[in-house]
């Protein structure tokens, strides 16, 4: 591990139900970085993200800014890690603003309708960044799947955590909002956050990420810049595909083209 790592993962393993889901993963990640976590279905991407958030038991060590994750109280961990899970099920017809305000709970805001000035400002900013100001009074249960996805993202942004863990945040979005959300996550990284995004979109990973981590069978098979981690040889090895590769407006383009 490097001394400058903000998030350091050392020999992380996750075993659930007698199966090894994450196996001996070690990597050091800095702030101001957008990391794309890619790999085939069942590779362990979601489990790794949940382990980093402290949501599943694991072996090994995870440190954030030099502090051992295992030694942090639940609220301290929640202030440092904002976690956006897959799926956006909402079971109560709460207004969008109230759901987003739940992101302030780790900071002590227990009533979404009685926010202090700093909490209200954080919620306003998250609503604006996720393009939800016009929907803030709508019940979340009345929204489309894509709109609920943006609400979930806004809730995570409202936490203002230095690490944002996002599990397939663009999966249910149309192309416009896929690009908008990736640009927003890129903005969070540029502002100083460490953003780790699970995605199956190799083209957007190549375009927006600083680093790409590739998981296969629970093991970290590659970690590096997109042009290295998503090279033709790597795509063939990990995904068993060939891809069209190009450049548009100075940005890399990767389009999965054929199964091998």
């Amino acid at each position: 591990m490097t001394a400058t790592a903000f998030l350091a993962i050392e020999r992380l393993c996750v075993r659930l139900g007698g199966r090894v889901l994450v196996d001996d993963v070690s990597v050091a990640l800095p702030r101001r970085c957008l990391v794309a976590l890619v790999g085939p279905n069942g590779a362990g991407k979601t489990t790794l993200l949940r382990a980093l958030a402290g949501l599943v038991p694991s072996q090994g060590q995870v440190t954030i800014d030099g502090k051992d994750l295992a030694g942090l109280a639940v609220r301290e961990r929640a202030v440092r890690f904002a976690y956006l899970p897959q799926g956006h099920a909402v079971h109560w017809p709460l207004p969008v603003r109230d759901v987003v305000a739940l992101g302030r709970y780790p900071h002590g805001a227990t009533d979404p309708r009685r926010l202090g000035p700093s909490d209200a400002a954080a919620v306003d900013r998250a609503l604006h960044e996720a393009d939800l100001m016009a929907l803030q009074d709508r019940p979340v249960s009345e929204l489309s799947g894509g709109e609920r996805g943006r609400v979930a993202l806004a809730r995570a942004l409202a936490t203002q955590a230095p690490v944002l863990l996002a599990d397939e945040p663009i999966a249910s979005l149309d192309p416009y909002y896929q690009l908008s959300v990736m640009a927003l996550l890129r903005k969070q990284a540029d502002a100083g956050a460490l953003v780790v995004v699970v995605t199956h979109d190799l083209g957007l990973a190549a375009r927006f990420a600083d680093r790409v981590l590739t998981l296969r069978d629970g093991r970290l098979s590659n970690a590096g810049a997109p042009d290295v981690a998503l090279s033709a040889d790597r795509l063939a090895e990990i995904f068993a595909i060939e891809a069209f590769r190009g450049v548009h407006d100075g940005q890399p383009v990767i389009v999965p083209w054929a199964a091998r």
Side-chain angles (χ1 to χ4, degrees), residues 61-143:
Q61 185 178 48
V62 178
T63 59
I64 177 170
D65 201 18
K67 298 180 177 63
D68 192 334
L69 178 63
L72 296 179
V74 172
R75 179 159 288 185
E76 292 178 314
R77 185 184 299 158
V79 168
R80 289 169 171 81
F81 289 88
Y83 174 60
L84 176 61
Q86 290 184 37
H88 314 294
V90 179
H91 302 290
W92 300 280
L94 297 174
V96 166
R97 184 178 183 85
D98 287 3
V99 174
V100 175
L102 294 175
R104 300 304 297 171
Y105 184 83
H107 297 272
T110 57
D111 187 340
R113 301 196 177 190
R114 294 183 179 179
L115 299 178
S118 61
D119 294 316
V123 171
D124 284 340
R125 179 177 178 180
L127 288 166
H128 176 74
E129 290 182 328
D131 195 19
L132 290 168
M133 291 298 287
L135 299 177
Q136 62 177 307
D137 297 321
R138 289 268 304 276
V140 177
S141 55
E142 296 180 2
L143 302 183

Side-chain angles (χ1 to χ4, degrees), residues 34-37 46 49 83-88 145-154 156-157 164-174 177-186 195-201 204:
L34 195 156
V35 180
L37 182 57
T46 292
L49 224 59
Y83 174 60
L84 176 61
Q86 290 184 37
H88 314 294
E147 289 168 336
R148 289 197 300 271
R150 284 156 47 210
V151 172
L153 175 59
L157 294 178
L164 173 58
L165 307 172
D167 195 355
E168 297 195 47
I170 61 174
S172 61
L173 303 182
D174 62 37
Y177 279 112
Q178 286 182 357
L179 291 167
S180 297
V181 165
M182 290 302 296
L184 175 55
L185 295 176
R186 176 71 262 170
V195 181
V196 183
V197 182
V198 173
T199 182
H200 286 288
D201 193 314
L204 293 181

Side-chain angles (χ1 to χ4, degrees), residues 27 29 34-36 209-214 220-230:
V27 68
L29 302 172
L34 195 156
V35 180
D210 300 296
R211 297 185 66 182
V212 175
L213 307 183
T214 306
L220 185 63
S221 64
N222 194 47
D227 60 339
V228 174
L230 299 176

Side-chain angles (χ1 to χ4, degrees), residues 38 202 205-206 212 222 225-232 234-235 239 245 254:
V38 305
L202 302 179
V212 175
N222 194 47
D227 60 339
V228 174
L230 299 176
S231 68
R234 292 292 183 182
L235 294 182
F239 295 100
R245 311 176 70 86
I254 297 179

